[in-house]
Amino acid sequence: MREFDFVREHEVPGAVKAGSRDAAKFIAGGTNLVDLMKCDVEHPAHIVDINALPLATIERVPGGVRVGGLARLSDVAAHPLIMQNFPAISQALLVTASPQIRNMASVGGNLMQRTRCMYFRELTWTPCNKRNPGSGCSAIEGENRLHAVLGTSDACIATHPSDLAVAVAALDGVLTLRGPAGERKVNATDFHLLPGNTPQIEHDLKHGELIESLFLPDAPHAKRSAYLKIRDRAAYEFALASAAVGLDLNGSTIRSARIAFGGVATKPWRAKFAEAALVGQAATPEVFRRAAEAEMKSAKSYGQNGFKIELMKRTLVRALTDLANVEPALSRFAPAGEPAPRSGGAA
Ligand SMILES: Cc1cc2nc3c(=O)[nH]c(=O)nc-3n(C[C@H](O)[C@H](O)[C@H](O)COP(=O)(O)OP(=O)(O)OC[C@H]3O[C@@H](n4cnc5c(N)ncnc54)[C@H](O)[C@@H]3O)c2cc1C
Ligand code: SF4
């Protein structure tokens, strides 16, 4: 690891000032940054510890719930406001990493984590446009079983690794950012960027800006929401395909739907075509399959990762079918011995 200096800040303005210096980086849980420093992908000259900032609260505010950028993943997952009103968020966090990592990792750090593409982390011999712009992409004709089929470019096909970001994109989360120029708000769906010709630019966060909080708006489709993650092993693994889904049902008719995909795209993928295909339709597996087909029309295989196209469709159909058949916000959280009430149909 290269040399760096370290400062702990207790107030947001001081942190923003310290974080605005050249080659400065914030550190929260450190579970991603330290990893990347050890393999020399990241080499900040100044590290600004933000763990003492007062940004870890989870609270009700008008129209929704606000989650501080420093709230720990385990605290968010277990918070009653999140479990009851945004079950997809809680479920996405409960399948993230391991309990130990969730105790350390923060909301802001999770949204900012970098790709797990192995070429990105292997810097002794492989070209990687994200790590070294203009050097080429080793994955496009290399080992790409875990790579993206949506939102790719000739420069990069790496997936975005966050589970939380997928659920936040589906449920219309809004980030509050604070930097040297003051505060601004960005829709979560606009925060992460497609790679295009500049895969090294991954998000709409300017140097020195902090993710102060995440706002989750109340909505019927947020209350009836879920997250399904398919992976190579049942724990401690990133998604091959995942779906965050929310439904607002009138009887068995879909009033509104919210869908985002993970594990298959270069950014948390809001599935607008799938959502449009559901509105006004009956909540049936046939309709869900048509919605999946509509979204995956633009998917592109790079060889080894071609299986993800069908896997993503099946993941979406299963997630929506399960969701249509449970009461909002109850299914995964019924106490042991008390099975979750079932509506007996799609209503
Ligand atoms: C073995 C392993 C398995 C994992 N599995 C999963 C998984 O299945 N799903 C998943 O989603 N993740 C997974 N992760 C990733 C893990 O969730 C992230 O490492 C973690 O969420 C990062 O949070 P942190 O607070 O530790 O971030 P840090 O490492 O402290 O920071 C990461 C980046 O975010 C920046 N940053 C941190 N906080 C802020 C802020 N408030 N404002 C602006 N910038 C900020 C830092 O400068 C840094 O660039 C896994 C990690 C490991 C090591
Ligand atoms: S997919 Fe992206 S991160 Fe991976 S080698 Fe190619 S450019 Fe680098």
Side-chain angles (χ1 to χ4, degrees), residues 41-102:
V41 171
E42 298 268 15
H43 21 75
H46 314 285
I47 293 192
V48 183
D49 179 354
I50 56 175
N51 286 292
L53 302 183
L55 298 178
T57 51
I58 301 164
E59 59 193 341
R60 179 149 278 294
V61 293
V65 170
R66 182 167 55 210
V67 180
L70 276 169
R72 303 296 148 175
L73 303 188
S74 48
D75 293 336
V76 182
H79 200 287
L81 282 174
I82 302 298
M83 290 167 64
Q84 285 158 18
N85 299 296
F86 309 96
I89 302 279
S90 182
Q91 291 169 21
L93 290 171
L94 290 173
V95 292
T96 290
S98 65
Q100 292 88 343
I101 290 174
R102 295 197 294 272

Side-chain angles (χ1 to χ4, degrees), residues 115 117 119-120 127-130 136-139 147 155-158:
T115 184
C117 172
Y119 300 111
F120 175 68
C128 169
N129 285 324
K130 197 184 270 297
C137 171
S138 299
H147 285 69
C156 182
I157 61 169

Side-chain angles (χ1 to χ4, degrees), residues 265-298:
T266 50
K267 62 176 269 185
W269 190 263
R270 180 71 178 266
K272 290 277 189 185
F273 292 109
E275 290 176 5
L278 292 180
V279 176
Q281 304 294 311
T284 65
E286 295 71 30
V287 168
F288 298 153
R289 177 74 197 190
R290 280 203 295 276
E293 299 280 357
E295 193 65 43
M296 296 305 285
K297 247 187 205 148
S298 62

Side-chain angles (χ1 to χ4, degrees), residues 25-35 42 50 55 69-70 72-73 95-98 101 104-113 116 161-164 205 209-212 229 231 236-239:
K25 276 262 171 195
F26 298 121
I27 192 164
T31 61
N32 191 235
L33 181 61
V34 174
D35 244 15
E42 298 268 15
I50 56 175
L55 298 178
L70 276 169
R72 303 296 148 175
L73 303 188
V95 292
T96 290
S98 65
I101 290 174
M104 289 292 290
S106 65
V107 165
N110 184 277
L111 300 178
M112 289 290 291
Q113 66 176 298
R116 311 302 287 199
S162 167
D163 291 297
L164 172 65
L205 190 83
E209 273 186 325
L210 266 175
I211 299 176
E212 219 173 43
K229 178 177 181 179
R231 43 191 166 168
Y236 213 23
E237 188 55 280
F238 291 88

Side-chain angles (χ1 to χ4, degrees), residues 253-273:
T253 304
I254 300 167
R255 249 193 304 242
S256 72
R258 291 292 182 278
I259 300 171
F261 294 164
V264 294
T266 50
K267 62 176 269 185
W269 190 263
R270 180 71 178 266
K272 290 277 189 185
F273 292 109

